[in-house]
């Protein structure tokens, strides 16, 4: 398996623009997670899905952030409009539906909002 | 709710020296415990995990961790550090029942001097 795939790897955009981050989880994994990592706040869980259904989005910072999982092999995280404080590395991770399941992380998308 | 504390933000060791990274957790029952490593520019990778049984857990890359219930700790150790071990290390604690979603610590940055 190719592992968790994220695209793009780097994104530079201007304030106010819409940003869409994409993730393909490992086939057969039932959970998908979106994290944000910054120096100031560390690794933050934004939202997670179970069987394509959003379970907990309490970590989503504002209404400008939205996430979807239309099928088991694809998820998006959208920021509209983007702001400079959204600059961070965004990780997608997936895991199996087991209590002892490790999370498999993608390589991340480094977002810079100018 | 579970929580995890990594008291050391940075640790500096010389190559060949031993290493111990601290992790303390808060959870009412026996938790699921993980250590992940993040190399620069990459996602997190599982080093080892503990669920039950032997309290000394062996992981990849020569790492081990010991679960001490009385101290609510799960410290990561390595007898001899290599320059390639320089990375960010995250401890995570998961809960049984209801949610399998681990909570991550803030991370400890390991610096290795030649």
């Amino acid at each position: 398996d190719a592992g968790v795939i994220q695209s793009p790897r780097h994104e530079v955009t201007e304030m106010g623009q819409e940003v869409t981050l994409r993730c393909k989880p490992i086939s057969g994994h039932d959970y998908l997670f979106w994290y944000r990592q910054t120096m100031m706040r560390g690794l933050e869980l934004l939202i997670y899905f179970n069987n394509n259904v959003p379970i907990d989005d309490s970590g989503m910072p504002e209404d400008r952030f939205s996430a979807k999982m239309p099928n088991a092999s694809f998820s998006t995280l959208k920021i509209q409009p983007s702001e400079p404080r959204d600059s961070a590395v965004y990780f997608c991770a997936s895991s199996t539906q087991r209590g002892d399941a490790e999370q498999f992380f993608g390589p991340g998308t480094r977002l810079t909002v100018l | 709710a579970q929580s995890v504390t990594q008291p050391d933000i940075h640790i500096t060791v010389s190559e060949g020296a031993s290493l111990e990274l601290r992790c303390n957790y808060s959870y009412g029952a026996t938790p699921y415990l993980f250590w992940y490593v993040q190399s620069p520019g990459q996602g997190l990778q599982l080093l080892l995990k503990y669920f039950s049984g032997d309290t000394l857990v062996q992981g990849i890359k020569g790492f081990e961790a010991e679960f001490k219930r009385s101290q609510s700790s799960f410290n990561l150790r390595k007898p001899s550090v290599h320059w390639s071990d320089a990375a960010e290390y995250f401890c995570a604690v998961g809960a049984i029942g209801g949610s399998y979603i681990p909570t991550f610590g803030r991370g400890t940055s390991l610096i290795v001097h030649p």
Side-chain angles (χ1 to χ4, degrees), chain A residues 1 5 12 16-17 24 27 41 58 62 81 85 91 93 98 102 107:
Chain A
D1 200 315
I5 299 172
V12 180
Q17 296 298 306
K24 176 179 169 56
S27 177
R41 302 175 69 91
S58 60
E62 301 172 31
R85 59 193 168 122
F91 289 102
R98 292 191 352 246
E102 72 176 275

Side-chain angles (χ1 to χ4, degrees), chain B residues 30-101:
Chain B
T30 300
Y32 292 159
L33 294 160
F34 308 82
W35 273 101
Y36 286 82
V37 61
Q38 182 183 25
S39 297
Q42 298 184 25
L44 281 68
Q45 178 188 18
L46 183 72
L47 278 176
L48 48 80
K49 58 185 179 183
Y50 171 81
F51 301 113
S52 64
D54 192 347
T55 56
L56 186 62
V57 181
Q58 301 297 320
I60 62 172
K61 305 185 181 187
F63 286 91
E64 66 178 26
E66 186 171 12
F67 170 61
K68 292 185 177 180
R69 185 190 303 275
S70 61
Q71 299 177 20
S72 298
S73 69
F74 189 57
N75 294 349
L76 182 70
R77 301 194 295 249
K78 186 170 185 178
S80 178
V81 171
H82 188 263
W83 64 266
S84 61
D85 294 323
E88 190 86 12
Y89 291 81
F90 293 88
C91 182
V93 58
I96 306 171
S99 167
Y100 295 117
I101 310 307

